[in-house]
Amino acid sequence: MDETLREFFNDVYEITRQIPRGKVLTYGRIAALAGRPQHARWVGRAMAQSPDDKTLPCHRVVNSAGQTAPGWTEQRTLLENEGVTFRPNGHVDMKKHLWEILSADEVTS
DNA sequence: GTTTTGACGCTAC
DNA sequence: AGTAGCGCCAAAA
Protein backbone atom coordinates (compact mmCIF):
# COMPACT_ATOMS: atom_id res chain seq x y z
CA MET A 1 0.00 0.00 0.00
CA ASP A 2 1.38 3.37 -0.99
CA GLU A 3 2.05 6.02 1.56
CA THR A 4 -0.43 8.37 -0.07
CA LEU A 5 -3.14 5.76 0.15
CA ARG A 6 -2.50 5.14 3.81
CA GLU A 7 -2.80 8.87 4.28
CA PHE A 8 -6.10 8.79 2.46
CA PHE A 9 -7.33 6.09 4.81
CA ASN A 10 -6.30 8.14 7.79
CA ASP A 11 -8.19 11.16 6.47
CA VAL A 12 -11.25 9.03 5.88
CA TYR A 13 -11.23 7.80 9.44
CA GLU A 14 -10.72 11.28 10.79
CA ILE A 15 -13.59 12.71 8.78
CA THR A 16 -15.89 9.87 9.76
CA ARG A 17 -15.05 10.43 13.38
CA GLN A 18 -16.14 14.05 13.07
CA ILE A 19 -19.64 13.29 11.87
CA PRO A 20 -22.02 14.76 14.45
CA ARG A 21 -24.77 12.70 16.06
CA GLY A 22 -27.91 12.44 13.98
CA LYS A 23 -26.08 13.21 10.74
CA VAL A 24 -24.87 10.98 7.92
CA LEU A 25 -22.26 11.27 5.20
CA THR A 26 -21.88 9.50 1.88
CA TYR A 27 -18.87 7.49 0.81
CA GLY A 28 -18.32 9.70 -2.20
CA ARG A 29 -18.46 12.86 -0.12
CA ILE A 30 -15.93 11.50 2.33
CA ALA A 31 -13.65 10.41 -0.49
CA ALA A 32 -13.87 13.89 -2.01
CA LEU A 33 -13.11 15.51 1.34
CA ALA A 34 -10.14 13.19 1.68
CA GLY A 35 -8.91 14.42 -1.70
CA ARG A 36 -9.73 11.34 -3.79
CA PRO A 37 -13.23 11.69 -5.29
CA GLN A 38 -12.78 8.51 -7.30
CA HIS A 39 -12.00 6.35 -4.32
CA ALA A 40 -15.49 6.20 -2.89
CA ARG A 41 -15.26 2.41 -2.80
CA TRP A 42 -12.09 2.60 -0.83
CA VAL A 43 -13.93 4.47 1.89
CA GLY A 44 -16.29 1.55 2.21
CA ARG A 45 -13.40 -0.85 2.28
CA ALA A 46 -11.82 1.21 5.02
CA MET A 47 -14.95 0.71 7.11
CA ALA A 48 -15.36 -2.94 6.18
CA GLN A 49 -11.87 -3.67 7.40
CA SER A 50 -12.60 -1.68 10.54
CA PRO A 51 -9.54 0.13 11.79
CA ASP A 52 -8.20 -0.25 15.29
CA ASP A 53 -10.40 2.60 16.35
CA LYS A 54 -13.48 0.83 17.59
CA THR A 55 -15.23 4.10 18.37
CA LEU A 56 -15.36 4.99 14.68
CA PRO A 57 -18.99 5.93 13.90
CA CYS A 58 -18.96 4.15 10.56
CA HIS A 59 -22.69 3.60 10.94
CA ARG A 60 -23.14 7.25 10.00
CA VAL A 61 -21.72 6.54 6.57
CA VAL A 62 -24.13 5.60 3.79
CA ASN A 63 -23.97 5.50 0.01
CA SER A 64 -25.25 8.21 -2.33
CA ALA A 65 -28.66 6.54 -2.46
CA GLY A 66 -28.94 6.91 1.30
CA GLN A 67 -28.95 3.17 1.82
CA THR A 68 -27.21 1.50 4.70
CA ALA A 69 -24.49 -1.09 4.26
CA PRO A 70 -25.61 -4.53 3.01
CA GLY A 71 -25.42 -7.27 5.57
CA TRP A 72 -25.45 -4.77 8.40
CA THR A 73 -29.03 -4.40 9.61
CA GLU A 74 -27.82 -3.02 12.90
CA GLN A 75 -26.66 0.18 11.24
CA ARG A 76 -30.24 1.30 10.63
CA THR A 77 -31.09 0.80 14.30
CA LEU A 78 -28.06 2.78 15.42
CA LEU A 79 -28.97 5.71 13.18
CA GLU A 80 -32.62 5.66 14.23
CA ASN A 81 -31.41 5.74 17.80
CA GLU A 82 -29.56 8.96 17.00
CA GLY A 83 -32.61 10.61 15.53
CA VAL A 84 -32.03 9.87 11.86
CA THR A 85 -35.30 9.25 10.05
CA PHE A 86 -35.57 6.31 7.68
CA ARG A 87 -38.03 5.95 4.85
CA PRO A 88 -40.12 2.77 4.53
CA ASN A 89 -37.87 1.55 1.75
CA GLY A 90 -34.82 1.72 3.97
CA HIS A 91 -33.35 4.97 2.70
CA VAL A 92 -32.14 7.78 4.92
CA ASP A 93 -33.69 11.20 4.56
CA MET A 94 -30.51 12.78 3.18
CA LYS A 95 -32.28 16.09 2.65
CA LYS A 96 -32.29 16.54 6.42
CA HIS A 97 -29.51 14.36 7.73
CA LEU A 98 -26.76 14.71 5.14
CA TRP A 99 -23.96 16.43 7.00
CA GLU A 100 -22.42 19.45 5.30
CA ILE A 101 -18.84 20.23 6.19
CA LEU A 102 -19.43 23.88 5.29
CA SER A 103 -21.10 25.13 8.44
CA ALA A 104 -24.82 25.01 7.90
CA ASP A 105 -25.03 28.49 9.42
CA GLU A 106 -23.56 30.01 6.29
CA VAL A 107 -25.70 27.93 4.01
CA THR A 108 -28.84 28.98 5.79
CA SER A 109 -29.64 32.58 5.23
C1' DG B 1 1.35 -11.02 -15.14
C1' DT B 2 -4.17 -11.14 -15.83
C1' DT B 3 -8.97 -11.57 -13.90
C1' DT B 4 -12.39 -10.82 -10.50
C1' DT B 5 -14.34 -8.23 -6.90
C1' DG B 6 -16.18 -4.56 -3.97
C1' DA B 7 -20.02 -1.24 2.86
C1' DC B 8 -19.54 3.23 -4.55
C1' DG B 9 -21.16 7.11 -7.97
C1' DC B 10 -23.32 8.89 -11.91
C1' DT B 11 -26.23 8.82 -15.92
C1' DA B 12 -29.82 6.76 -18.59
C1' DC B 13 -34.08 4.29 -19.04
C1' DA C 1 -38.97 5.26 -7.07
C1' DG C 2 -36.19 1.30 -8.94
C1' DT C 3 -33.18 -1.08 -12.35
C1' DA C 4 -29.32 -1.29 -15.53
C1' DG C 5 -25.00 -0.06 -17.54
C1' DC C 6 -20.51 2.06 -17.38
C1' DG C 7 -16.62 4.08 -14.89
C1' DC C 8 -13.27 4.09 -11.21
C1' DC C 9 -9.11 2.17 -8.54
C1' DA C 10 -6.66 -0.87 -5.56
C1' DA C 11 -6.61 -5.44 -3.25
C1' DA C 12 -7.20 -10.32 -3.48
C1' DA C 13 -7.26 -14.57 -6.13
Side-chain angles (χ1 to χ4, degrees):
Chain A
M1 190 180 293
D2 292 333
E3 197 67 26
T4 56
L5 199 48
R6 198 184 77 74
E7 208 175 331
F8 171 74
F9 264 67
N10 191 21
D11 288 341
V12 170
Y13 295 140
E14 193 171 340
I15 292 168
T16 305
R17 206 168 303 147
Q18 292 172 33
I19 302 177
R21 179 177 173 282
K23 291 283 185 179
V24 295
L25 212 54
T26 67
Y27 295 99
R29 196 60 72 83
I30 293 173
L33 289 171
R36 296 289 184 279
Q38 307 296 108
H39 288 62
R41 324 180 82 139
W42 232 233
V43 178
R45 191 165 288 224
M47 302 302 163
Q49 295 186 354
S50 293
D52 300 330
D53 194 337
K54 204 170 112 178
T55 63
L56 186 71
C58 47
H59 60 272
R60 292 178 186 151
V61 182
V62 296
N63 62 16
S64 61
Q67 288 182 298
T68 55
W72 191 17
T73 58
E74 192 179 316
Q75 180 179 18
R76 179 171 171 170
T77 307
L78 289 169
L79 289 174
E80 285 181 319
N81 190 15
E82 294 186 352
V84 177
T85 57
F86 272 75
R87 291 185 167 179
N89 54 9
H91 290 86
V92 181
D93 192 341
M94 318 260 299
K95 198 87 175 193
K96 298 181 175 179
H97 300 293
L98 179 61
W99 182 47
E100 311 245 4
I101 276 243
L102 316 164
S103 9
D105 300 336
E106 309 200 37
V107 180
T108 1
S109 63

